């Protein structure tokens, strides 16, 4: 038997991953078998098992090759020394919306995570990836809001953790709503306005009144 070159093996692995991403987004994770992926990728089941131990291993590899839009945008615009942390937060949020609107692969993976995957034992790695992405975003948002408070861009009574949770919830909701019906609105334009309103609301928020 002729041994495949490294380049050929890498091409096969990439084709399997790209096909899996497509089929999972169309059929859902639980309704997709390795045989489905093999047939769509025009490879044998043996070829899949040569590169991946099982469907869980394939799922994990698929997730590792795609950066989530929020993570990607935060990495591009994160600067702990920025003199304008609020503008930085806005830019990273809008950049994330732009990335998902333009990136087909990121769209499919987000759609799989949000709509096409049951979080059971088989998909534990997908749930972990989703949770890790959320933790990264919340941590970066919270740091940004804390710096904004320190620099006087937000009232001193602002709770940076709650602000971070609010911004993340807005981003998550925009992603979900837009992916349900992408043609319904421009996620970058509308999302930018929603984020602006949220940040403006934080600037004029009043301190909580003690109960009693």
């Amino acid at each position: 038997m002729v041994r495949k070159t490294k380049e050929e093996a890498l091409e096969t692995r990439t084709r399997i991953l790209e096909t899996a991403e497509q089929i999972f987004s169309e059929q859902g994770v639980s309704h997709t078998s390795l045989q489905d992926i093999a047939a769509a990728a025009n490879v044998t089941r043996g070829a899949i098992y040569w590169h991946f131990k099982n469907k869980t291993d394939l799922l994990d590899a698929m997730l590792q090759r795609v950066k989530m839009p929020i993570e990607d945008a935060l990495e591009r615009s994160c600067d702990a020394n920025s003199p304008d942390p609020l503008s930085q937060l806005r830019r990273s949020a809008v950049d994330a919306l732009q990335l998902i609107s333009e990136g087909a692969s990121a769209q499919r993976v987000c759609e799989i995570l949000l709509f096409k995957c049951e979080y059971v034992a088989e998909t534990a790695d997908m749930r972990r990836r989703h949770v890790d992405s959320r933790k990264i975003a919340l941590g970066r948002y919270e740091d940004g809001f804390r710096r904004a408070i320190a620099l006087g861009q937000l009232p001193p009574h602002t709770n940076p953790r709650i602000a971070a949770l609010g911004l993340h919830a807005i981003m998550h909701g925009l992603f979900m709503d837009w992916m349900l019906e992408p043609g319904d609105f421009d996620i970058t334009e509308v999302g930018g306005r929603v984020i602006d309103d949220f940040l403006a609301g934080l600037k004029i928020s009043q301190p909580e009144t003690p109960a009693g």
Side-chain angles (χ1 to χ4, degrees), residues 173-175 177-179 181-191:
L174 285 167
F175 282 168
D177 202 28
W178 181 78
M179 283 189 288
E181 193 64 51
D184 191 47
F185 65 94
D186 184 320
I187 190 173
T188 306
E189 179 184 352
V190 174

Side-chain angles (χ1 to χ4, degrees), residues 130-181:
H130 199 173
V131 169
D132 288 348
S133 179
R134 177 180 179 275
K135 287 180 178 178
I136 290 170
L138 284 174
R140 297 282 182 84
Y141 289 160
E142 188 172 350
D143 287 344
F145 283 122
R146 187 172 286 110
R147 287 188 288 114
I149 296 166
L151 291 173
Q153 290 186 311
L154 291 175
H157 63 264
T158 304
N159 186 313
R161 178 64 177 179
I162 292 176
L165 287 166
L167 180 56
H168 189 270
I170 288 171
M171 296 294 292
H172 193 265
L174 285 167
F175 282 168
M176 291 189 70
D177 202 28
W178 181 78
M179 283 189 288
L180 279 172
E181 193 64 51

